[in-house]
Structure formats: structure tokens, C-alpha cells
Amino acid sequence: MKAVTIEQGDTGVTVREVPDPVVGPEDVLVRTLRVGIDGTDHEVIGGSHGGYPAGETYQILGHEAIGVVEDPNGSDLQQGQLVVPTVRRPPPDGGTNAYFDRGEPDMAPDGSYVERGIVGAHGFMSEYVATPAEFLVPVPDSFAEYGFLIEPISNIEKAIEHALATRSAFEWTPESAFVLGNGPLGLLAVAVLTQDAPMYDQFERGYCLGRRDRPDPTIEIIERLGATYVDSRETPVSAFKAAHEPADLIVEATGYAAHPFEAITALAPNGVAALLGIPDDWTIDLDAGRLHRELVLENKALVGSVNSNIPQFERARDSLTRMPEWFLDELVTGVFEPAAAPEAFADDTDAIKTVIEFDTV
Amino acid sequence: MKAVTIEQGDTGVTVREVPDPVVGPEDVLVRTLRVGIDGTDHEVIGGSHGGYPAGETYQILGHEAIGVVEDPNGSDLQQGQLVVPTVRRPPPDGGTNAYFDRGEPDMAPDGSYVERGIVGAHGFMSEYVATPAEFLVPVPDSFAEYGFLIEPISNIEKAIEHALATRSAFEWTPESAFVLGNGPLGLLAVAVLTQDAPMYDQFERGYCLGRRDRPDPTIEIIERLGATYVDSRETPVSAFKAAHEPADLIVEATGYAAHPFEAITALAPNGVAALLGIPDDWTIDLDAGRLHRELVLENKALVGSVNSNIPQFERARDSLTRMPEWFLDELVTGVFEPAAAPEAFADDTDAIKTVIEFDTV
């Protein structure tokens, strides 16, 4: 079958034939529809994140997928059901472990999981994917086009869930949310936070940080979602509070190493910053004393969050249902066929979210 | 009545006569038994923290008190009942506010409270104290000697409660706790974490950081409580994980500005550091990229915590009940009469916890 891969030693993607997936006794065979491209894929290609499957000279890329059940293979799923796969799997030779047993592979420490398309396992950018039914989330037929967004949304759902948990020991009455980053993950976070649903209704005012000049499609999206665009060149995170208001919740989706620490100052008393970015090493001068003091005297919290589990995928599916069609149409700026994957991965002029389409329903 | 004060312009404490407290219609009159001295008192004296009551040229010090009800003044309390006062009160002219109304003054932002003995209000180092019954926690008669420790313990209870809350969105199975600091607050944190009670039983192994040579009474206390002493000169926080084990919970009680950031590295995956210290400004080089990445990829959290509320005082009372008598005897190294307050505040040779005794039951 056709697949999009990174080959050892290469610095760009390859489109090639790979063996069809081996369908194990527990596996469902899924025909791939669409697979999104995100920053992690670029890190995998660049070698700063992830790693090849054991014994392989290449890795199939991709972890944001939607597909259709081709062969349920005895599972409860029906042929033709649309599904979104989760990303983490138990290590190949380790069987399972407590984190997977309790449905929280997202909390498994390094070494006790592999991640499809990221570390130690092939991804979803191939015509077919085999995976156990327990790692597949059924989604409505109407999700063929945009269901691949459920995986990145699920990471936001988890980060916000964990952020809210940090504030669960007291009566928190947040009003403002500030998303750092106007890339696809940041824009999805704005869409999650501005949706009309009980968990998010408390956030009455939303802000989103970027560094682009108007006119710009991401600024238009931010404003059409009802949030306020914050240009980091005029208003850096450290100046946000004075320029706008202290933020009760901050969602960091830039991977910019200074942002978690600048966020401490931008937070309102009792506020929390949820961190999603994965930066490289970068040593900077920080007023550790002031940050430490602000965290304590104002009861603030920082919480890191990676990956996501089935309930978070299900919440992401619900959030996606509530996202306006215009938003999804504006967000997904490029749809490429597999043969054009090299162009898709190079697509950065005015691109927001790019997706490879293997098939349609 | 006699009181221990800091006078504007002075750099040390004064023992002087002050007017008896005005007993308002809602106030209970309390005869003070003992008031502990802590680092915050020294910060108030030094001027780096807190502030004088409006219109006053002096401030009565002290916020760790135990007393006995002298006049219940129509409240449900009985004359002779031992009580511990909480610290925060509504601003003098602001009436009350939502934080006080819901019993969470500890979560009130700066400006919406005063703190007795710290900022904007007289403390408890005087023969009598007047305060509403809602700010008094009844304690058993056996607490006359050590009940003043309930206030600092309550701050630890709150910090741990908030730290556990940050981990409530998943199944956390902590085993190890690492307390930074072998001052009184650090030692009390070790005693809280090593007690035989359901909330703390999950922490099977305790560690406590200090920088003292053996033989040393704090090291003896740490080890007698069943914890492991960690000498920061041999094993800095950043080297703790390699030397011992990653810590599931860290409780920072040093006020050393680098510790929250070094703690990120010392934490186990899914771990949390609760911060209690209040440092001055101090700019240092930090590998912000690595810290940010570790927070995210290992689902770690930092949570600051200040002050405490009534349920946390009540939990502190329960924890104090479970602390061994030898520990309290070893912890409280100095009992001074009010006239000797200047010596009490200067008592730092081999002193662990110092207390001013105004009266006995």
C-alpha cells in the first residue's frame, strides 16, 4: 500500500509502497481517509522528537487520522463506521501496563508506551491501518472531512481538564481565557473555549496571541470566534495583564520556552496556565524570585499536559460537533493527495492546517 | 495590655503597652496563651512583606496563636474553650466579600483582605485578642502548649490539598514525597506527610532537604520521623532524582527562588510540586526550554499556595493530634516570656521553633 514516510538519514518525506498492515487477532482494519499534519510531524522529520519503530529503516508518519472500518474482525464495530484512532500503544514486547489497563495511556511515563507516527511505531499516513478496537473512537458519518481534527482537539481537552482540576480545591470563578499561539492548535483552543457548552461557558472573554500583520486569515478567525487578537510584537505575554486584563486560564500552544514563565505574570490571582508546547533547550534569564513569589502569593498553578485518552477524544468529538462549519473550512487550508505529500509538508505560505487525503467515504 | 510590636522606622521588636482590644458586637475576647515566631514575622520586621494597620505607627506582631475564650460575647463558644485564630480578615472598610462569604479568604486576591500580624492589621502577640467567632477554631484542652502550630500546619495542609487536586483528573499513585527545607515549616511538612492517616498513607517514602552537618537536631527529627535527610551541598535538588528516586510530591518550604524550577527535574512523571516559600526578586539563568518540555512531556504541575481556611485549620488540628509528643518537644526549642521578645526574635543558635508565652491555662 501507499504510505508517507520518513526514511533514516533523510530530511524530507517520501511517498512509497510499504507492506500492508498485519491484522492481528485483536485488530480492526481501517481504511484511511484523511491524516492531518502538525508541528510534531515536523519534529519527527527533523529528528528532534520521536523515533523509528524497532528494526525499521523508515517510519510511516501521521497521528491525526480519520478512517472507515474496512474489517471489524470480530469487534463491536461495524464495517463502514467512521473512526478516529488514538495515538499511544503499549510497547511492542511489553504487553500492557497499568496505564493502559486503566485507560490512561496519556499518563504513562516515557518507555511504557509507543506513539503511532511519533515514537517507536508506524503512523497513520498509509492507505490502511490496523489497530485494536479499544484504540478507535467511533464518530458520525458527517465527520469524514474534519474528524482528523479530533486528535489535536483531544490534547486541548485534556490540558483544559487538567487545568480545571488544579482549581478544584476551591470555588474558582474564571471569566477570561488567553490562548498563546495562532497556529492550528491555538485556533482550535480558541474554538474549544468559545463554544457554547457548560464546561466552557465560564470563559466569557477570550484572547489569542499571534505575531502577524492584518489582514490575516488567523486574525479573522480569532475575531469571528468572538475572541480578541493580541499581537505579541505590541503586547508581549508579560504585558498582557496591563494591556487587557489578567487571564484566569492560559493555554500555551506555541512551544516558545519563555511563555510558561511569562504566563505566570499574565495570570489573574488563582489562575492556571496549561502547557502544550514542546520546546528545545533554551537557557534564558528569568526573575525566578518574582515568579516563585507570584505563584505562591496569588495561588497560581502551571500544569503540563501531553497526549490524551478515550474520554478526552470523546469530548473532542463533542466539541468538534459544536464548531461552526465556516471555522473548519477556514482552518483547513490545504488538502493534498498522498503523492503530493512533499508539497503538503512544505506548504507554509498562508497555510493554517494541511491534510493528506487518502480516500473519501 | 502588653504587646510585642514593630514600630515604624525600627529594625527590631519592641515590648510595650498598647490599648486593650476594642471588643465589637461580633467579637469574642480571647486571652492569649502562646504565639509562635516564623519567617514571615522576620519579613514583616524587615519590611519586605506586609504593612502597618491604617493610621498606626506600630503593628502588633504574630499570626500563629493559641488562646482561651475569656468572653464569648454571645457566640456559641464557651468561656475557657481553647481556640486558634485564623489570619485573614476582610479589609477594615470593605465589609466582607465573596471570598470571605464562601469561607475561602485564603483565595482572596491582594487588596481584598488584611492579615493579622502581617498586612494591615494587628497580630496576636498581645495579652488579649478580639475577633469574630467565625475566625476561631476550637481545639482540645490538651493543645495549650502546641496549638499555636496549627496555623503553620494549616498552610501545609492547604498546599498539599491543592497539590493533590492538580492530580485529580487521573489515577495518581504517588509513593514518594520530598520536602525542601528543614526549618520549622519543612519539619512540620515531614510530620504531616509521615503521619498515619488515609490522606497521607500513600506517601511511603519521605525525604527532607537541608544544609546542615551532623550531629544536628533537625536531621535527628527527620530520621526519627522515618524520612531520609538530603544534604543539599552533596545532593542539590537538581541531582535528587539520580541520587534517590524521582519524587511524586515535592513541598517547597525554603523560599529559595531556584527551588520551584529545580523541583521540576526532581519530580517523577505526573508529579507535582507545592510551593510555600516567598522569595525576593532574583534573576538567574534557567533552561526554560528543558523545564517547559519536562512539564509537558511528563504531565507535571507546579502549584503555589498561600494562607489557609477553616477546613484546613481543622485538618491541621487533626494532624497535630497525630504528631508524636517527642516531635513537638524537639521542634519547639525556645519558650520566652513577652518581656524577652527581643531575645526570642534573635534566638537562632540551634533554635528550631520559638514561641512567646503570654499565659498558661
Side-chain angles (χ1 to χ4, degrees):
Chain A
M1 64 176 176
K2 197 174 296 173
V4 180
T5 65
I6 173 73
E7 308 285 321
Q8 285 200 15
D10 279 5
T11 57
V13 304
T14 295
V15 184
R16 57 174 278 181
E17 285 294 314
V18 298
D20 283 351
V22 178
V23 182
E26 304 293 320
D27 284 342
V28 173
L29 183 65
V30 175
R31 176 166 51 89
T32 306
L33 297 177
R34 286 179 159 199
V35 186
I37 296 174
D38 80 350
T40 301
D41 297 316
H42 286 284
E43 289 164 17
V44 170
I45 294 166
S48 68
H49 191 105
Y52 291 86
E56 296 278 29
T57 59
Y58 69 94
Q59 182 174 29
I60 301 173
L61 291 165
H63 58 278
E64 302 178 347
I66 177 142
V68 59
V69 173
E70 181 88 1
D71 179 0
N73 195 18
S75 73
D76 290 341
L77 292 165
Q78 301 296 313
Q79 188 177 17
Q81 170 71 53
L82 260 57
V83 288
V84 170
T86 65
V87 178
R88 287 197 173 174
R89 301 290 179 275
D93 301 322
T96 185
N97 58 53
Y99 297 95
F100 284 86
D101 290 346
R102 60 185 179 235
E104 294 179 346
D106 57 305
M107 303 307 292
D110 188 32
S112 57
Y113 62 82
V114 297
E115 287 181 334
R116 296 204 59 165
I118 303 173
V119 57
H122 286 305
F124 305 133
M125 281 192 187
S126 55
E127 289 177 87
Y128 291 94
V129 166
T131 198
E134 64 176 304
F135 300 118
L136 291 170
V137 179
V139 303
D141 289 347
S142 59
F143 276 32
E145 236 182 327
Y146 297 126
F148 71 95
L149 295 170
I150 287 177
E151 195 280 335
I153 297 170
S154 74
N155 290 312
I156 298 162
E157 300 284 350
K158 173 181 169 180
I160 295 174
E161 179 187 349
H162 281 232
L164 299 186
T166 73
R167 312 289 77 189
S168 63
F170 63 97
E171 190 174 326
W172 194 43
T173 55
E175 296 183 357
S176 57
F178 183 21
V179 173
L180 310 187
N182 62 341
L185 198 63
L187 296 175
L188 285 167
V190 175
V192 165
L193 284 161
T194 55
Q195 69 184 287
D196 183 19
M199 181 170 165
Y200 304 103
D201 272 355
Q202 52 196 328
F203 300 103
E204 294 176 11
R205 295 177 301 284
Y207 301 86
C208 185
L209 186 81
R211 41 186 298 118
R212 297 217 196 164
D213 294 320
R214 296 171 189 272
D216 177 81
T218 69
I219 301 174
E220 284 167 25
I221 289 172
I222 291 164
E223 294 180 343
R224 197 164 165 195
L225 285 170
T228 300
Y229 174 64
V230 179
D231 188 329
S232 65
R233 296 163 300 184
E234 296 163 9
T235 310
V237 175
S238 55
F240 173 78
K241 181 160 65 179
H244 296 280
E245 63 175 319
D248 295 307
L249 171 68
I250 290 177
V251 177
E252 177 274 322
T254 57
Y256 180 67
H259 275 162
F261 307 99
E262 295 180 12
I264 295 171
T265 300
L267 284 174
N270 308 337
V272 57
L275 313 178
L276 282 162
I278 305 174
D280 293 329
D281 287 358
W282 186 38
T283 297
I284 54 179
D285 276 352
L286 288 174
D287 189 342
R290 184 177 54 75
L291 297 175
H292 182 175
R293 192 172 66 244
E294 283 187 15
L295 283 164
V296 171
L297 288 181
E298 299 192 330
N299 292 296
K300 293 175 176 177
L302 289 184
V303 58
S305 174
V306 70
N307 196 253
S308 51
N309 60 34
I310 292 278
Q312 292 147 358
F313 269 72
E314 290 170 345
R315 210 155 60 243
R317 178 184 59 195
D318 297 343
S319 286
L320 181 60
T321 308
R322 286 187 285 265
M323 288 182 192
E325 193 70 19
W326 69 258
F327 166 71
L328 301 170
D329 290 342
E330 294 289 319
L331 187 79
V332 180
T333 45
V335 181
F336 291 76
E337 58 182 17
E343 292 76 40
F345 275 89
D347 181 29
D348 56 3
T349 314
D350 294 327
I352 302 177
K353 188 72 180 175
T354 302
V355 65
I356 311 276
E357 185 166 81
F358 283 83
D359 205 349
T360 52
V361 187
Chain B
M1 65 176 175
K2 196 173 297 173
V4 180
T5 65
I6 174 73
E7 309 285 321
Q8 284 200 16
D10 279 5
T11 56
V13 303
T14 294
V15 185
R16 59 174 277 180
E17 285 293 315
V18 298
D20 282 352
V22 177
V23 182
E26 304 293 320
D27 284 342
V28 173
L29 183 65
V30 175
R31 176 165 52 88
T32 306
L33 297 177
R34 286 179 158 197
V35 187
I37 295 173
D38 81 349
T40 301
D41 297 316
H42 286 285
E43 289 165 17
V44 170
I45 294 167
S48 68
H49 192 105
Y52 292 87
E56 297 277 28
T57 59
Y58 69 93
Q59 183 174 26
I60 301 174
L61 291 165
H63 57 279
E64 302 177 349
I66 174 126
V68 58
V69 173
E70 182 87 2
D71 179 359
N73 195 18
S75 74
D76 289 342
L77 292 165
Q78 302 297 312
Q79 188 177 17
Q81 170 71 53
L82 259 58
V83 287
V84 170
T86 65
V87 178
R88 287 198 174 173
R89 301 289 177 276
D93 301 321
T96 185
N97 59 52
Y99 297 95
F100 284 88
D101 290 346
R102 59 184 178 233
E104 294 179 346
D106 58 305
M107 302 308 291
D110 189 31
S112 57
Y113 62 82
V114 296
E115 288 181 331
R116 296 204 58 166
I118 304 174
V119 57
H122 286 305
F124 305 133
M125 282 193 186
S126 54
E127 290 176 88
Y128 292 94
V129 166
T131 198
E134 64 176 304
F135 300 119
L136 291 170
V137 178
V139 303
D141 289 348
S142 59
F143 277 31
E145 237 182 329
Y146 297 127
F148 72 95
L149 294 170
I150 287 176
E151 195 280 334
I153 297 170
S154 74
N155 290 313
I156 297 162
E157 300 284 351
K158 173 180 169 181
I160 295 174
E161 179 186 347
H162 281 232
L164 298 187
T166 72
R167 312 289 77 190
S168 63
F170 62 97
E171 188 175 327
W172 195 42
T173 55
E175 297 183 358
S176 57
F178 183 21
V179 173
L180 310 187
N182 61 342
L185 198 63
L187 295 175
L188 285 167
V190 175
V192 165
L193 285 161
T194 56
Q195 70 183 288
D196 182 21
M199 181 171 162
Y200 303 104
D201 272 355
Q202 52 195 327
F203 299 103
E204 295 176 10
R205 294 177 302 285
Y207 300 86
C208 185
L209 186 82
R211 40 186 301 119
R212 296 216 197 166
D213 294 320
R214 297 171 189 270
D216 177 81
T218 67
I219 301 174
E220 284 167 25
I221 288 172
I222 291 163
E223 294 180 343
R224 198 164 163 196
L225 285 170
T228 300
Y229 174 63
V230 179
D231 188 329
S232 65
R233 295 164 300 184
E234 297 163 9
T235 310
V237 175
S238 56
F240 173 79
K241 181 160 66 178
H244 296 280
E245 62 176 318
D248 294 306
L249 171 69
I250 289 178
V251 177
E252 177 274 321
T254 56
Y256 180 67
H259 276 161
F261 307 99
E262 295 180 11
I264 295 170
T265 301
L267 284 174
N270 308 338
V272 57
L275 313 178
L276 282 163
I278 304 174
D280 293 329
D281 288 357
W282 186 39
T283 297
I284 53 179
D285 276 352
L286 288 173
D287 189 341
R290 184 176 54 74
L291 297 175
H292 183 175
R293 191 172 66 244
E294 284 187 16
L295 282 164
V296 171
L297 289 181
E298 299 194 327
N299 291 295
K300 292 175 176 176
L302 289 185
V303 58
S305 174
V306 70
N307 196 254
S308 51
N309 60 34
I310 293 278
Q312 291 148 359
F313 270 72
E314 291 170 345
R315 210 156 59 243
R317 178 184 61 195
D318 298 342
S319 286
L320 182 60
T321 308
R322 284 187 288 263
M323 288 183 192
E325 194 71 19
W326 69 258
F327 166 71
L328 301 169
D329 291 341
E330 294 288 321
L331 187 79
V332 179
T333 46
V335 181
F336 291 77
E337 57 182 17
E343 292 76 37
F345 274 89
D347 181 29
D348 57 2
T349 315
D350 293 327
I352 301 177
K353 189 71 181 177
T354 302
V355 65
I356 311 276
E357 185 167 79
F358 282 85
D359 206 348
T360 53
V361 188

